[in-house]
Amino acid sequence: MRERTIGDFAPASFWEAKRVVYEDFNESYPGGESSEAAQKRAMEVITRHIEISRGKKIAIGTHGDIMTLMLNYFDQRYGYAFWKSMTMPDIYKVRVEGKRLIEVKRMWM
């Protein structure tokens, strides 16, 4: 899934702009996408795949920001600090049961 565009965040730094959009999910910069909008876009796809693949393993390729927002949908502890800790590229194993996040395990970095 495609990454979100942060937009024109000047004069803030990239890191500061990212922190702001994680702390306030409704915040967006001109030409950018809020965390709320990006999460909604991602979860429409993910929840559909979870439903049609119930009981099966699936692989999803995405960017770190979108992955963090997907994990945040299930557990709000996944936010800016988690995103910043990623080495990108990373591989994570994520286990979801219904609407519950059961496991998040870094497999490769």
Side-chain angles (χ1 to χ4, degrees), residues 4-10 12 14 17-18 21 28-34:
R4 73 164 152 179
T5 301
I6 192 84
D8 181 9
F9 51 84
F14 175 74
K18 280 289 194 179
V21 296
S28 65
Y29 293 95
E33 186 177 28
S34 70

Side-chain angles (χ1 to χ4, degrees), residues 85-100:
S85 75
M86 297 173 71
T87 57
M88 299 182 232
D90 287 339
I91 296 175
Y92 283 82
K93 175 184 177 182
V94 176
R95 191 162 62 99
V96 175
E97 290 180 6
K99 293 188 177 188
R100 288 185 43 233

Side-chain angles (χ1 to χ4, degrees), residues 70-82:
M70 289 187 293
L71 293 173
N72 176 273
Y73 173 84
F74 296 103
D75 185 338
Q76 292 184 351
R77 291 178 291 179
Y78 291 92
Y80 176 74
F82 175 79

Side-chain angles (χ1 to χ4, degrees), residues 30-99:
E33 186 177 28
S34 70
S35 292
E36 180 181 41
Q39 184 181 66
K40 182 179 185 291
R41 172 174 56 83
M43 292 314 298
E44 287 173 356
V45 173
I46 294 304
T47 54
R48 185 173 56 236
H49 283 289
I50 289 171
E51 286 298 316
I52 64 175
S53 303
R54 190 174 300 261
K56 298 178 183 175
K57 295 178 182 179
I58 59 175
I60 298 170
T62 191
H63 294 268
D65 196 20
I66 293 297
M67 186 183 94
T68 302
L69 292 170
M70 289 187 293
L71 293 173
N72 176 273
Y73 173 84
F74 296 103
D75 185 338
Q76 292 184 351
R77 291 178 291 179
Y78 291 92
Y80 176 74
F82 175 79
W83 171 80
K84 195 171 178 186
S85 75
M86 297 173 71
T87 57
M88 299 182 232
D90 287 339
I91 296 175
Y92 283 82
K93 175 184 177 182
V94 176
R95 191 162 62 99
V96 175
E97 290 180 6
K99 293 188 177 188

